[in-house]
Amino acid sequence: LVLGNAGESLYNLREEYDFSPEQIRRLLQQLLEAVAHLHEHGVCHRDIKPANVVVSEEGVATLVDFGTARVPGIQDLLEDARMYGTPGFQAPELLFGDAYFDDFAQYAKVDVFSLGCVLTELLTGGKPVLDLPTWLQARAGAPGYSPNA
């Protein structure tokens, strides 16, 4: 896959540019269509975040970095699902190790959650989920840590 000059990452663009509600709607529509296409073909991205979205000068959004993508029936490289994704964009079931991904529908939910995080960040400028110390505790499996406490 060669992207050439596909554009700038959404991560960089959101740092230097305020998107209008209409621009956000168009970007989200394109991302939803891309993820729906992936899911229809049995592929789950598992690391959707602004840095993995490239936007062209024409406003075309492209989802990139399929390094952690999952296809049903193919063994994961890492046994621990918490190792996938990026802090601030991971679904809680990944963070707390509550997910046992025996079927594709579980992974599809993870992508949808991440898309919601991207949307929230575009609208508010901040991440909508756990703070980093809490996330690190959960990821490390800290003794005595309970997400329900």
Side-chain angles (χ1 to χ4, degrees), residues 1-23:
L1 173 65
V2 178
L3 288 175
N5 189 12
E8 187 71 38
S9 79
L10 190 55
Y11 177 84
N12 290 340
L13 288 173
R14 69 160 174 69
E15 292 290 322
E16 58 195 47
Y17 184 74
D18 288 326
F19 290 98
S20 71
E22 178 59 23
Q23 290 169 315

Side-chain angles (χ1 to χ4, degrees), residues 94-106:
L94 287 178
L95 296 174
F96 302 127
D98 294 337
Y100 297 98
F101 296 107
D102 295 334
D103 64 73
F104 181 76
Q106 290 292 337

Side-chain angles (χ1 to χ4, degrees), residues 80-84 87-88 90-99 129-149:
D80 189 350
R82 292 177 291 173
M83 299 305 294
Y84 293 107
Q90 279 183 308
E93 57 265 39
L94 287 178
L95 296 174
F96 302 127
D98 294 337
V129 295
L130 301 171
D131 62 14
L132 189 57
T134 302
W135 183 88
L136 289 173
Q137 285 180 337
R139 186 145 185 170
Y145 180 79
S146 170
N148 301 320

